[in-house]
Amino acid sequence: MQNANSVTDRTIGAIVAGDYRTAAVFEKHGIDFCCGGKIALSAVCQAKGIDPGTITREIEAAKSTPVDRSQNYTAWTLSFLADYIINTHHSYLKENTGQIAAYAHKIAEVHGARHPEVVEIAAIFDEIATDMAAHLREEEEVFFPAVKRVEATQKAGTAPEAKDIETIKRSLEKLSHEHDEIGDAAHKIRHLAQGYAIPDDVCNTFMVTYQKLNEFEDDLHKHVHLENNILFQKAAQS
Ligand SMILES: [Fe+2]
Ligand SMILES: [Fe+2]
């Protein structure tokens, strides 16, 4: 099985970056393809007790589903991809983070005595919200503009500014590290929330908060995947 071996040797991030349709397979198996995407598929299979042959067949099947050309992120220019990330994922965060934090505090107040995990969840989410605001600012005001300027010089056939190359190098390291930290915090919330299972004795706000936290994590995975596995990889080559 030469083919199966070559797929399992690749990292999760590289497989999803190569074909976004494979993300559905990893989601199904609860495998992190963004923040934890630097691990080889074979290692993940071993850790999670998944048969490599089965998942390889599922990946091949995902690759043969019809392509949605509008989601062919690897073919996009970095400037277009950066704008897409801002217009979808950054605007999602700006619209929802404050509201989710307010909900989390409300359920901590009402249900904290019977469900102490929600008090911890509210505190962790506050940290995520603060870190994320600074992270988005750095991407929008420093990193993405430098990436766009370098791409424009490449297109024009001129040399990029040394300070832009330096900015990209510095930001890449810092932003990747922040992705890991924010991803870890989101995993911690999922763990505390026991996978967002809704307890029997709670109100609608509790239910909505868990649904919103779940949606937040889902959006974060897609967002960080586009940055870590596509945008950052290409920007590192500039
Ligand atoms: Fe971002
Ligand atoms: Fe980011």
Side-chain angles (χ1 to χ4, degrees):
M1 288 282 282
Q2 182 77 34
N3 195 22
N5 286 341
S6 61
V7 175
T8 51
D9 285 345
R10 297 176 70 197
T11 65
I12 308 295
I15 296 169
V16 179
D19 193 324
Y20 191 75
R21 292 168 294 179
T22 61
V25 176
F26 297 123
E27 266 168 12
K28 184 184 131 195
H29 289 282
I31 297 172
D32 177 8
F33 60 87
C34 60
C35 319
K38 291 164 196 151
I39 304 163
L41 177 57
S42 54
V44 175
C45 285
Q46 204 171 10
K48 287 193 172 265
I50 299 167
D51 173 43
T54 307
I55 201 159
T56 302
R57 277 191 297 278
E58 288 176 6
I59 289 168
E60 290 312 316
K63 284 181 175 173
S64 61
T65 56
V67 185
D68 179 354
R69 287 179 58 81
S70 67
Q71 292 203 334
N72 191 10
Y73 306 109
T74 39
W76 294 357
T77 64
L78 291 188
S79 305
F80 190 81
L81 182 57
D83 286 341
Y84 172 82
I85 289 169
I86 292 171
N87 290 324
T88 54
H89 301 296
H90 290 198
S91 38
Y92 165 81
L93 288 167
K94 287 171 195 165
E95 278 165 28
N96 291 280
T97 307
Q99 192 197 35
I100 298 171
Y103 278 153
H105 281 282
K106 192 171 175 200
I107 64 167
E109 245 170 67
V110 179
H111 299 277
R114 289 174 70 108
H115 296 282
E117 66 277 10
V118 294
V119 177
E120 209 178 328
I121 288 172
I124 297 171
F125 194 83
D126 279 347
E127 275 176 42
I128 292 182
T130 307
D131 292 351
M132 187 58 99
H135 182 87
L136 297 186
R137 241 186 342 264
E138 163 128 10
E139 286 181 344
E140 292 180 14
E141 293 171 15
V142 180
F143 180 66
F144 290 170
V147 167
K148 286 181 177 182
R149 283 193 296 271
V150 169
E151 190 171 64
T153 61
Q154 283 166 345
K155 217 170 171 183
T158 55
E161 296 277 343
K163 71 172 185 345
D164 282 335
I165 299 290
E166 187 51 40
T167 299
I168 290 173
K169 219 176 123 193
R170 214 180 32 238
S171 284
L172 271 177
E173 209 171 307
K174 183 168 178 274
L175 295 169
S176 299
H177 179 68
E178 288 168 1
H179 285 168
D180 289 346
E181 285 183 334
I182 294 170
D184 284 349
H187 284 162
K188 211 165 159 190
I189 291 181
R190 169 176 288 277
H191 182 73
L192 285 166
Q194 299 190 3
Y196 302 115
I198 315 286
D200 292 334
D201 59 339
V202 297
C203 64
N204 276 339
T205 308
F206 196 112
M207 199 177 72
V208 171
T209 308
Y210 270 25
Q211 283 168 347
K212 294 288 277 180
L213 282 167
N214 200 356
E215 178 190 271
F216 178 92
E217 194 190 357
D218 190 45
D219 184 83
L220 183 71
H221 283 172
K222 294 194 177 98
H223 178 185
V224 173
H225 161 67
L226 293 178
E227 291 177 353
N228 273 7
N229 300 329
I230 301 176
L231 202 148
F232 288 11
Q233 301 288 327
K234 286 192 185 178
Q237 288 160 15
S238 56

